[in-house]
């Protein structure tokens, strides 16, 4: 049996862009966090850098600094296209694997469902795996789940061309993404 966790493809692609190009993010962070002491070192680990970038962008939005927010957003379509190809390669492999083991042996778990109702989603997963789950277990699982879905898609400027590419190459091609159209 296999568990296929599905996340909004726009968020997956956006996260890929931010991770692939994280070396350039410290400059964006500096712009966005211009009020912060400039002697602070920006850590080079991808997840830390992206987390700081997210925090900086959120702070800019909250301050209403639309000009700096717009300047700090990333819009490199070459990297975006590359990340679309990476996603397609990954979901193509998942689709082939599902064909090999049989669709009845694969369950799809949408990240958004897990975040919005972790106990119910985990309960369904346990049931599908034919594993008994005590209420305490489901409660413990639920306590580890993020309180909201990460919307990295909001950090990028999506051109109509790139949106159309995602619709055509990802959402229309792979049925498990249909709800994200």
């Amino acid at each position: 049996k296999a568990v296929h966790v599905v996340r909004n493809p726009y968020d997956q692609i956006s996260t890929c862009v931010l991770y692939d190009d994280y070396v350039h993010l410290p400059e964006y962070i500096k712009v966005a966090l211009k009020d912060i002491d400039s002697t602070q070192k920006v850590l080079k680990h991808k997840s830390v850098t992206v987390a700081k970038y997210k925090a900086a962008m959120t702070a800019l939005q909250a301050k209403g600094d639309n000009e700096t927010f717009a300047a700090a957003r990333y819009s490199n379509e070459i990297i975006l296209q590359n990340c679309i190809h990476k996603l397609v390669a990954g979901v193509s492999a998942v689709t082939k694997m599902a064909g090999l083991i049989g669709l009845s042996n694969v369950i799809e778990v949408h990240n958004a469902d897990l975040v919005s109702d972790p106990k119910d989603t985990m309960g369904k997963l346990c049931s599908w795996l034919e594993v008994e789950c005590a209420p305490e277990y489901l409660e413990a699982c639920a306590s580890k789940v993020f309180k909201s879905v990460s919307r990295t898609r909001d950090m990028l400027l999506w051109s109509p061309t790139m949106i159309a590419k995602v619709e055509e190459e990802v959402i229309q091609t792979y049925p498990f993404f249909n709800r994200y159209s």
Side-chain angles (χ1 to χ4, degrees), residues 27 39 95 119 140 143 153 160:
E27 189 56 41
T39 61
T95 301
K119 286 189 257 183
S143 73
R153 64 186 174 266

Side-chain angles (χ1 to χ4, degrees), residues 7-19 50 53-54 73-74 149-158:
R7 183 178 179 213
N8 184 311
Y10 291 102
D11 289 326
Q12 289 185 66
I13 294 163
S14 299
T15 300
C16 171
V17 168
L18 294 172
Y19 276 22
V50 171
Y53 179 72
K54 284 180 179 180
R73 287 178 77 164
Y74 193 83
V149 175
S150 176
R151 293 179 50 104
T152 51
R153 64 186 174 266
D154 296 337
M155 293 182 196
L156 301 182
L157 293 173
W158 287 87

Side-chain angles (χ1 to χ4, degrees), residues 162-177:
M162 288 294 110
I163 291 170
K165 277 189 177 292
V166 174
E167 286 289 329
E168 181 183 323
E169 295 178 24
V170 179
I171 294 172
Q172 293 174 10
T173 305
Y174 299 97
F176 45 83
F177 285 130

Side-chain angles (χ1 to χ4, degrees), residues 70-97:
R73 287 178 77 164
Y74 193 83
S75 62
N76 186 321
E77 290 196 358
I78 295 169
I79 294 174
L80 195 56
Q81 181 62 52
N82 188 30
C83 288
I84 292 170
H85 288 306
K86 285 182 182 181
L87 177 61
V88 167
V91 296
S92 176
V94 167
T95 301
K96 286 178 186 168
M97 179 272 311

Side-chain angles (χ1 to χ4, degrees), residues 1-4 93-107 128:
K1 292 188 172 193
V3 179
H4 177 208
V94 167
T95 301
K96 286 178 186 168
M97 179 272 311
L100 290 172
I101 68 171
L103 291 177
S104 62
N105 291 315
V106 179
I107 188 171
W128 181 80

